Amino acid sequence: MPPIAANIYLISCLWLKSVYVCPSCCLRNAINPLRKAKRPARRVPVSAPRRASTIASVTAVNAKKDVPHAFHPLYEALAAVQREAAVYSNLSQIQLALRGLESENAITRIAVLGGPDGTKTRRLVKALLADPLLPEQEWEKHLLSLDDSDGRALLLRYGEQLAIDRSHPLVRTLSLPSLTLQTHNLEILVQAASSQTEDEGSGIQMYLTPGLETPSSATGRFSTVMYPVHKALVIAQGLDTVRPLLALESTGKSGGGEEMITVAVDSPWDKLSSAESPLRPINPINLQRAEEAITTFRQSLDNSFNYEHAWFESGLPKLSTWLTEGTEVLPSILKPTVRRLIETLAANAEQALEQEESAQLQKQASSVIPTSTRDTLNLYLANWAETAHTELRDGLDIVFNGKKWRKMVWWKLFWRVDDVSYILSDTLRQSWLLDADRGIIYLAGRIEQAGLLPSRLTNPYQVSSTATRPDPGARSFGTIPPPPRLSDLIPSTASPAPSRTTHPLSLAGEHTPTHPIPSISHMRLYLLTTAVPPMQSLANRLLMHCLSTTFLTSSLSALLYVSISTTSIYEAGGIAAVGAVIALRRLQKRWEAARERWVVLLREEGRRVLRRVEDGWRGVVRDGGMGDVEDEGEREGREKARRVVREVRERLDEMAR
């Protein structure tokens, strides 16, 4: 091929290759832009690297605590106390104890509670935390120069650099490089004793859960937040405030004999020496003497003998030992301060359970009705029963021998059959135990007034306030009716009609609330519903049967007389007479038997209802007023709380072995 032709061929091939696109590629390129337009890609800037701290794990919200294996059974038992016995224990102390079990070297919180002037309290804390081998540190000067005008408490914790955080609304946090705080992992809460709340209890609990006050509204009101601690140091202001704290010192010891609360009083040394015997539970200190000892030792090491003498005379060595006591850390061994806190929690919960149980027993004993009241009510019931039975006998005798009852004889049914239900209903409403019904209503009120009616049992004769309440679904006249529903067209089979053998109380319960003690009005309503309609129906059937039988026999005699010429009128009339006699005899026999059964029914039902009403109210008088019966749920809750507290005790004993 010539060079020119070859070049032309090559150029044409390259042009076709750049222009030609196959049909499938065209279809794919047409669909992809639509997909890209529907789902725009997220653009991640290159200059913003992904940080690990901004990624939240799914389980980071309720992450499981990393509790040491040796403390895990006690941790679970204490968590059960928090769930089941929260009413009988201090939740803030439980949370502090749970935090103490999450580590073998947990932080020990100590509260130093002084007077309204916090200067002396800060001086005492400075003397306890200061290192005499080092010159006066910057944090010591800063601690003394703090201002207490805002009323917030001061929290001291270890920090490599001196820093103070005032952002918290409840407490100011001062981080200071104290060797004592670092070595023993301590936190010290410095607070004025005047800020303590008396609502949370008295004695040891008031000082082991100091309250931090914060303004809750613009009106100046304050709310208190509990800040639990492991130990508390109470600084008494002189000898006048010592005696109320003597009982507190005796109750501030746990089962092991180690003090959770100690009391110190700063007073002139001569007064403390002369009053040594009555103040033996109190720690006498001389703060000025302790500060002079530290200053003397820092001036020169040659003053070590004088420092030691003055330091022990000040009484602070005992407080310094108490401050660090129980903070030792041993592998798989519970910290003594945490153990004492848990023991205190268990003891307080057991005491609260015993107090509630004794209060419940006292309440039950105070609500018992005296025997004289029961005897009086039993006498009233006996008189009522005698009068009611007499009324039943005499009242029914008068009715059944009266004029109305004679209107229902069998031969008067032909013109009085429609009056049967009226006469029977009128007999029940006006002559059946009316005075007895009114009398038992009066007695029921007397029994309820005496306090013999149990709380679970309401007075069956008390009129409900909801009886006359209008139906919310009822519509007034002139409104548009609702659209039809399928349930309106199909009869419901869920609630069958009561049978004739239904108990009177169950039938009466359709009109009034059911009650274990029957009432006479309920029985009257039951008889009106079940005994009167059958009598009316029987009268109609018997009368119709009598008339139909007489008509048939008369027709038969007339047919015989017409069809057979030899039959005389007397023979044909005899057939009609026999039929009429049989029909009337059947009407008389069955109707009079029905009337006798109805009389017996009224007498027996009256005796039965009177006996049941009397027995029911006698049982109320006998069993009622024996004290308020405790709710089963409350008793079970108390038993469950006692069980979880006992489990905490068992776990503590297992760890002590």
Side-chain angles (χ1 to χ4, degrees):
M1 182 179 293
I4 298 177
N7 292 335
I8 294 174
Y9 176 77
L10 181 60
I11 292 173
S12 61
C13 290
L14 293 175
W15 180 79
L16 289 175
K17 184 177 182 181
S18 61
V19 174
Y20 176 76
V21 180
C22 67
S24 60
C25 294
C26 292
L27 183 60
R28 183 174 66 251
N29 293 334
I31 295 176
N32 286 337
L34 296 177
R35 292 181 177 177
K36 293 179 181 180
K38 290 182 180 180
R39 296 186 299 176
R42 296 180 59 185
R43 182 174 299 175
V44 181
V46 180
S47 60
R50 191 175 186 181
R51 300 180 182 273
S53 60
T54 61
I55 303 174
S57 174
V58 178
T59 60
V61 178
N62 295 322
K64 189 176 181 180
K65 303 296 182 180
D66 189 10
V67 182
H69 180 71
F71 301 160
H72 194 269
L74 181 58
Y75 186 90
E76 295 295 334
L78 200 58
V81 173
Q82 185 180 14
R83 293 190 305 268
E84 306 295 344
V87 183
Y88 309 101
S89 55
N90 194 311
L91 290 179
S92 60
Q93 286 185 323
I94 293 179
Q95 293 173 1
L96 179 62
L98 290 174
R99 288 186 59 184
L101 293 175
E102 294 173 4
S103 173
E104 293 183 355
N105 186 17
I107 296 177
T108 301
R109 291 181 183 174
I110 300 176
V112 181
L113 309 174
D117 184 13
T119 305
K120 182 178 291 187
T121 307
R122 294 197 304 272
R123 287 172 54 196
L124 176 59
V125 174
K126 169 184 169 295
L128 291 174
L129 298 181
D131 189 356
L133 298 175
L134 298 176
E136 187 176 6
Q137 302 295 310
E138 184 66 26
W139 65 266
E140 300 179 26
K141 301 177 183 178
H142 190 76
L143 180 62
L144 295 179
S145 63
L146 289 176
D147 186 14
D148 296 332
S149 59
D150 58 353
R152 288 185 297 174
L154 178 64
L155 180 63
L156 304 179
R157 59 176 50 170
Y158 174 76
E160 296 181 357
Q161 300 292 334
L162 178 62
I164 184 168
D165 183 11
R166 303 177 184 271
S167 61
H168 201 281
L170 298 177
V171 64
R172 298 168 296 170
T173 304
L174 179 61
S175 301
L176 47 90
S178 173
L179 184 62
T180 304
L181 297 180
Q182 180 187 14
T183 305
H184 301 281
N185 201 9
L186 299 178
E187 283 186 358
I188 298 179
L189 178 70
V190 181
Q191 188 183 27
S194 59
S195 300
Q196 299 302 309
T197 175
E198 299 292 341
D199 298 335
E200 295 298 329
S202 59
I204 183 174
Q205 286 301 316
M206 185 178 64
Y207 294 97
L208 289 179
T209 55
L212 304 179
E213 294 182 350
T214 178
S216 58
S217 62
T219 59
R221 296 181 178 179
F222 288 85
S223 61
T224 304
V225 178
M226 295 296 105
Y227 193 85
V229 295
H230 295 89
K231 297 192 293 184
L233 170 60
V234 184
I235 303 175
Q237 304 298 318
L239 294 176
D240 297 335
T241 58
V242 168
R243 296 193 180 277
L245 298 174
L246 291 175
L248 174 64
E249 177 72 15
S250 62
T251 59
K253 297 183 179 181
S254 61
E258 297 167 324
E259 299 173 354
M260 294 185 67
I261 294 181
T262 187
V263 182
V265 56
D266 186 15
S267 185
W269 186 254
D270 53 351
K271 293 184 179 180
L272 292 175
S273 300
S274 61
E276 181 179 358
S277 61
L279 298 178
R280 189 171 300 170
I282 305 298
N283 298 313
I285 61 172
N286 193 329
L287 184 56
Q288 184 178 0
R289 184 74 168 166
E291 292 176 342
E292 292 176 355
I294 296 175
T295 304
T296 302
F297 187 77
R298 283 176 174 175
Q299 290 176 356
S300 175
L301 294 178
D302 297 335
N303 300 329
S304 60
F305 180 77
N306 296 332
Y307 161 76
E308 183 178 0
H309 184 70
W311 179 254
F312 278 96
E313 283 184 353
S314 65
L316 261 67
K318 186 176 181 181
L319 291 183
S320 180
T321 304
W322 173 87
L323 191 70
T324 59
E325 187 180 24
T327 59
E328 301 83 7
V329 180
L330 297 175
S332 301
I333 300 298
L334 188 61
K335 215 171 184 178
T337 53
V338 180
R339 181 182 183 86
R340 289 201 302 267
L341 178 62
I342 297 176
E343 289 176 350
T344 304
L345 278 171
N348 293 338
E350 292 172 351
Q351 183 180 3
L353 286 168
E354 292 176 359
Q355 289 177 355
E356 182 175 349
E357 189 169 359
S358 61
Q360 186 68 28
L361 293 176
Q362 185 178 3
K363 179 181 178 182
Q364 184 176 1
S366 62
S367 59
V368 175
I369 305 301
T371 309
S372 58
T373 305
R374 302 177 190 274
D375 296 340
T376 304
L377 292 175
N378 282 327
L379 181 61
Y380 289 160
L381 278 173
N383 294 335
W384 170 84
E386 182 180 358
T387 305
H389 283 282
T390 303
E391 178 192 1
L392 177 66
R393 181 194 60 197
D394 297 344
L396 292 183
D397 288 343
I398 293 175
V399 169
F400 295 143
N401 294 325
K403 184 178 180 181
K404 281 188 178 181
W405 188 252
R406 287 196 297 269
K407 291 180 180 180
M408 291 176 53
V409 294
W410 67 274
W411 54 272
K412 292 184 179 182
L413 283 180
F414 294 97
W415 62 89
R416 292 191 180 273
V417 65
D418 294 334
D419 298 337
V420 171
S421 60
Y422 165 74
I423 294 174
L424 297 179
S425 300
D426 188 68
T427 301
L428 285 172
R429 290 192 178 98
Q430 297 184 5
S431 304
W432 194 72
L433 299 176
L434 294 181
D435 294 337
D437 195 8
R438 289 190 287 266
I440 197 59
I441 291 174
Y442 170 77
L443 278 180
R446 291 287 300 271
I447 293 173
E448 185 177 9
Q449 183 182 10
L452 294 173
L453 201 62
S455 57
R456 62 177 178 83
L457 200 65
T458 56
N459 194 337
Y461 302 101
Q462 185 175 2
V463 179
S464 175
S465 60
T466 61
T468 59
R469 184 177 299 175
D471 185 10
R475 294 179 176 269
S476 60
F477 180 76
T479 58
I480 301 175
R485 296 175 300 178
L486 185 61
S487 58
D488 299 334
L489 304 177
I490 301 177
S492 176
T493 58
S495 301
S499 61
R500 297 182 182 180
T501 59
T502 306
H503 197 270
L505 291 182
S506 62
L507 183 64
E510 297 178 2
H511 305 275
T512 55
T514 58
H515 199 272
I517 302 176
S519 65
I520 299 175
S521 58
H522 291 175
M523 179 58 71
R524 184 182 297 110
L525 181 61
Y526 168 74
L527 292 176
L528 286 172
T529 310
T530 59
V532 174
M535 288 290 291
Q536 179 67 54
S537 177
L538 179 63
N540 293 334
R541 289 199 313 271
L542 291 178
L543 184 61
M544 183 61 65
H545 188 274
C546 178
L547 294 177
S548 61
T549 303
T550 304
F551 176 75
L552 288 177
T553 54
S554 300
S555 300
L556 179 62
S557 62
L559 181 63
L560 290 176
Y561 179 75
V562 172
S563 59
I564 303 176
S565 58
T566 58
T567 303
S568 66
I569 189 172
Y570 298 103
E571 294 175 347
I575 297 176
V578 170
V581 169
I582 294 175
L584 292 175
R585 176 59 182 170
R586 184 175 181 275
L587 173 63
Q588 177 188 10
K589 183 177 180 181
R590 297 194 60 181
W591 179 245
E592 294 299 329
R595 286 210 310 165
E596 292 296 330
R597 288 196 303 270
W598 205 80
V599 171
V600 174
L601 174 67
L602 256 61
R603 294 185 185 275
E604 292 301 323
E605 291 296 337
R607 295 190 188 99
R608 184 179 296 111
V609 71
L610 290 178
R611 184 168 59 252
R612 293 188 62 189
V613 169
E614 181 184 5
D615 294 343
W617 285 112
R618 284 191 183 277
V620 170
V621 173
R622 180 184 66 252
D623 302 331
M626 301 305 295
D628 295 336
V629 181
E630 186 180 5
D631 188 10
E632 189 68 23
E634 295 181 0
R635 188 184 301 108
E636 291 179 358
R638 192 165 58 248
E639 291 297 330
K640 189 180 296 183
R642 186 178 288 109
R643 186 165 54 251
V644 295
V645 172
R646 190 185 306 115
E647 186 178 357
V648 170
R649 290 282 193 185
E650 294 175 357
R651 296 295 179 265
L652 283 174
D653 295 339
E654 291 176 1
M655 295 185 65
R657 296 191 185 101

